[in-house]
């Protein structure tokens, strides 16, 4: 059963089931890890800044790098007007990063391997873009879908493409993260499963298991990279999309 | 849903219905708690953690900017002091040159005047000495003439017995001398 690569994504109630409006909102293992993410992120960042040293030590440097990475990203993409969105982008980045990194521990649950989590965050971001865009530019914000300087004959066609590309943003944003985390964890589990199955076959199997073992080690390294990269991509795409809400320079 | 059959085949677990990440029965609780935990994370980060990090980094930036400004001010001060020192050094050098020249000129003029005074004094002494020598010489010559004339008169008197030849002898000596 434990060899089943899908088992790691299974959700079960820890507390509950509690029913609200006919929906079960019992506290599950996934929710427990969401709590861990909050605890770890806030706890770690507070721990790194306890000394408030003028010359940062190792821990404080990590906290400051974490901060500067997102701060520079928001500054570069959104400019000074984007400062209001910095806490949000930082929260999204930290949530995804810590979720992905926690998922790298064996027997831990990967919150971001569930499409409902990633899709909700992506829809929230794109919804925020629409709300902020209309609040800032009024209905003129919809000019985003009507690029200037395009001949009238092909304008409807271009607008259609613009609208489709805008609507596909939450899908690409949410599914990219979900797909990466899901596939990575399945592949890791499959290769690790090979090792266990082959070793059970005896001496020949032990020698043969070296290949999937090396593969699993290499994939683990790759998955750490992917875990960081996907968090980074999620954050920077959030910035790029929010940029459309702030500046309609199409 | 092709995944459903596939999952049940591979797992064979009684509880496992749908492929877990796509099992919509778990969506309400995940969504509910995601909203709560994400809101909590956002609140804690934006109220507590980020202001703290921002304050630390702003304090460092202020410190560095202040130090750099102070260093720049000190550097300017140093440069000004160096310029002032070089200027006074150059002034002192040119002053020293002037003083040296004046002193040299004065010493030279004093030496020249003393030289002149000495020269004239010496010239006067030489002149008196030469005069004295000339007088002595003339006197000596005169007495030589007298002696020559007397001797000549004495020799003649001895030889001939004529005693009044002295003036004639003096005349003859003067003629010889000329």
């Amino acid at each position: 059963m434990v060899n089943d690569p899908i088992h790691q994504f299974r959700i079960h109630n820890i507390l509950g089931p509690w029913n609200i409006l006919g929906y079960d909102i019992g506290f599950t293992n996934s929710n427990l890890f969401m709590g861990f993410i909050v605890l770890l992120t806030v706890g770690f960042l507070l721990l790194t800044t306890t000394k408030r040293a003028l010359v940062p030590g190792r821990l404080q440097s990590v906290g400051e790098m974490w901060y500067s990475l997102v701060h520079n990203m928001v500054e570069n993409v959104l400019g000074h007007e984007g400062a209001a969105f910095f806490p949000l982008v930082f929260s999204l980045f930290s949530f995804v990063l810590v979720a992905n990194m926690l998922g790298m521990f064996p027997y831990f649950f990967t919150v971001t391997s569930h499409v409902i989590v990633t899709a909700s965050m992506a829809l929230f971001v794109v919804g925020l873009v629409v709300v902020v865009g209309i609040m800032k530019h009024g209905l003129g914000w919809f000019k985003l879908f009507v690029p200037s300087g395009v001949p009238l004959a092909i304008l409807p066609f271009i607008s259609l493409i613009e609208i489709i590309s805008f609507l596909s943003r939450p899908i690409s944003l949410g599914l990219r993260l979900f797909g990466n985390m899901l596939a990575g964890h399945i592949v890791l589990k499959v290769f690790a499963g090979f090792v266990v199955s082959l070793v059970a076959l005896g001496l020949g199997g032990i020698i043969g298991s070296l290949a999937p073992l090396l593969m699993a080690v290499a994939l683990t390294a790759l998955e750490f990279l992917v875990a960081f990269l996907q968090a980074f991509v999620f954050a920077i795409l959030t910035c790029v999309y929010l940029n459309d809400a702030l500046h309609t320079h199409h | 849903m092709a995944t459903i059959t596939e999952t049940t085949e591979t797992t064979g677990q009684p509880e496992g219905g749908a492929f877990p990440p796509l099992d919509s029965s778990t969506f309400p609780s995940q969504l509910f708690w995601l909203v709560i935990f994400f809101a909590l994370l956002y609140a804690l980060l934006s109220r507590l953690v980020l202001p703290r990090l921002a304050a630390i980094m702003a304090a460092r930036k202020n410190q560095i900017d202040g130090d750099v400004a102070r260093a720049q001010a000190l550097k300017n001060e140093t440069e000004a002091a160096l310029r002032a020192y070089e200027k006074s050094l150059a002034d002192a050098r040119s002053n020293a040159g002037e003083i040296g020249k004046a002193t040299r000129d004065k010493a030279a003029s004093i030496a020249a005047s003393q030289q002149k005074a000495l020269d004239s004094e010496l010239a006067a002494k030489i002149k008196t000495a030469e005069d004295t020598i000339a007088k002595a010489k003339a006197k000596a010559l005169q007495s030589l003439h007298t002696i020559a004339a007397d001797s000549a008169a004495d020799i003649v008197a001895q030889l001939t017995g004529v005693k009044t030849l002295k003036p004639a002898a003096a005349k003859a000596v003067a003629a010889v001398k000329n």
Side-chain angles (χ1 to χ4, degrees):
Chain A
M1 287 311 149
V2 180
N3 270 352
D4 170 19
I6 304 300
H7 181 267
Q8 56 180 324
F9 304 117
R10 191 140 280 144
I11 284 178
H12 53 85
N13 274 344
I14 296 172
L15 300 170
W18 298 320
N19 272 301
I20 285 188
L21 304 170
Y23 296 111
D24 173 19
I25 56 151
F27 197 76
T28 65
N29 54 337
S30 167
N31 307 145
L32 180 67
F33 275 89
M34 290 176 190
F36 280 165
I37 292 166
V38 177
L39 206 69
L40 260 175
T41 309
V42 175
F44 177 77
L45 287 175
L46 285 182
L47 179 74
T48 60
T49 51
T50 41
K51 278 199 229 156
R52 295 167 182 266
L54 197 63
V55 179
R58 286 182 210 172
L59 261 182
Q60 196 178 323
S61 292
V62 175
E64 285 178 10
M65 269 162 67
W66 191 334
Y67 178 93
S68 316
L69 178 76
V70 183
H71 195 261
N72 292 344
M73 183 198 294
V74 172
E75 191 105 305
N76 290 340
V77 179
L78 295 177
H80 284 294
E81 299 150 76
F85 296 104
F86 169 62
L88 177 71
V89 177
F90 191 89
S91 303
L92 282 169
F93 173 75
S94 305
F95 189 88
V96 175
L97 178 71
V98 177
N100 293 353
M101 286 300 178
L102 269 181
M104 290 308 296
F105 288 92
Y107 298 104
F108 277 26
F109 187 85
T110 317
V111 174
T112 42
S113 69
H114 275 249
V115 71
I116 181 70
V117 174
T118 61
S120 322
M121 291 198 293
L123 275 170
F124 170 67
V125 167
V126 177
L128 186 73
V129 169
V130 176
V131 171
V132 171
I134 291 175
M135 270 172 63
K136 206 166 161 63
H137 302 283
L139 289 179
W141 178 72
F142 286 102
K143 277 188 213 141
L144 182 70
F145 303 117
V146 190
S148 56
V150 175
L152 212 66
I154 58 164
L155 194 60
F157 182 63
I158 298 287
S159 292
L160 187 67
I161 290 178
E162 289 282 346
I163 289 168
I164 291 172
S165 89
F166 186 84
L167 291 179
S168 63
R169 279 176 181 182
I171 301 170
S172 70
L173 191 59
L175 284 189
R176 177 185 299 108
L177 177 58
F178 161 65
N180 267 287
M181 297 324 291
L182 180 76
H185 282 77
I186 290 177
V187 170
L188 256 183
K189 196 69 183 264
V190 165
F191 274 98
F194 279 166
V195 178
V196 177
S197 314
L198 281 170
V199 167
L201 291 179
L203 188 63
I206 291 175
I207 294 165
S209 71
L210 280 176
L213 178 65
L214 287 175
M215 198 66 190
V217 172
L219 277 172
T220 306
L222 181 71
E223 280 305 304
F224 272 112
L225 179 71
V226 169
F228 169 76
L229 215 58
Q230 287 305 319
F232 188 78
V233 166
F234 198 96
I236 204 156
L237 282 178
T238 301
C239 288
V240 170
Y241 295 162
L242 280 170
N243 192 36
D244 275 347
L246 293 179
H247 319 103
T248 50
H249 46 62
H250 240 296
Chain B
M1 286 256 183
T3 45
I4 298 173
T5 50
E6 198 185 299
T7 320
T8 43
E9 267 173 21
T10 48
T11 62
Q13 281 190 324
E15 47 156 324
F19 179 57
L22 301 175
D23 180 1
S24 59
S25 72
T26 65
F27 286 2
S29 88
Q30 291 205 68
L31 204 52
F32 178 79
W33 290 104
L34 174 66
V35 170
I36 287 177
F37 280 125
F38 192 78
L40 182 67
L41 179 70
Y42 181 82
L44 285 173
L45 286 181
S46 61
R47 289 288 149 85
L48 187 63
V49 175
L50 296 180
R52 194 157 148 162
L53 272 161
I56 291 171
M57 292 169 86
R60 176 173 319 136
K61 193 174 178 302
N62 283 343
Q63 172 89 44
I64 289 171
D65 288 353
D67 284 358
V68 167
R70 220 174 52 214
Q72 186 61 45
L74 286 174
K75 189 169 170 253
N76 291 344
E77 214 172 283
T78 313
E79 273 168 3
L82 192 66
R83 265 197 304 277
Y85 161 76
E86 268 165 6
K87 192 179 175 300
S88 61
L89 190 67
D91 284 354
R93 206 168 265 151
S94 68
N95 270 352
E98 270 165 32
I99 290 168
K101 191 171 179 303
T103 314
R104 256 197 314 280
D105 289 353
K106 203 170 152 198
S109 70
I110 288 171
S113 63
Q114 281 178 348
Q115 177 87 42
K116 211 167 165 185
L118 203 62
D119 277 355
S120 58
E121 196 184 331
L122 281 175
K125 274 186 181 163
I126 288 168
K127 181 98 172 67
T128 40
E130 276 174 349
D131 283 356
T132 315
I133 291 167
K135 258 185 215 152
K137 195 176 165 190
K139 211 173 162 186
L141 275 175
Q142 192 56 53
S143 45
L144 195 66
H145 292 167
T146 318
I147 291 166
D150 285 355
S151 323
D154 283 348
I155 291 164
V156 169
Q158 290 273 323
L159 291 175
T160 59
V162 183
K163 291 211 177 150
T164 52
L165 268 179
K166 269 190 183 172
K171 231 178 248 166
V173 168
V176 170
K177 197 187 104 193
N178 291 336

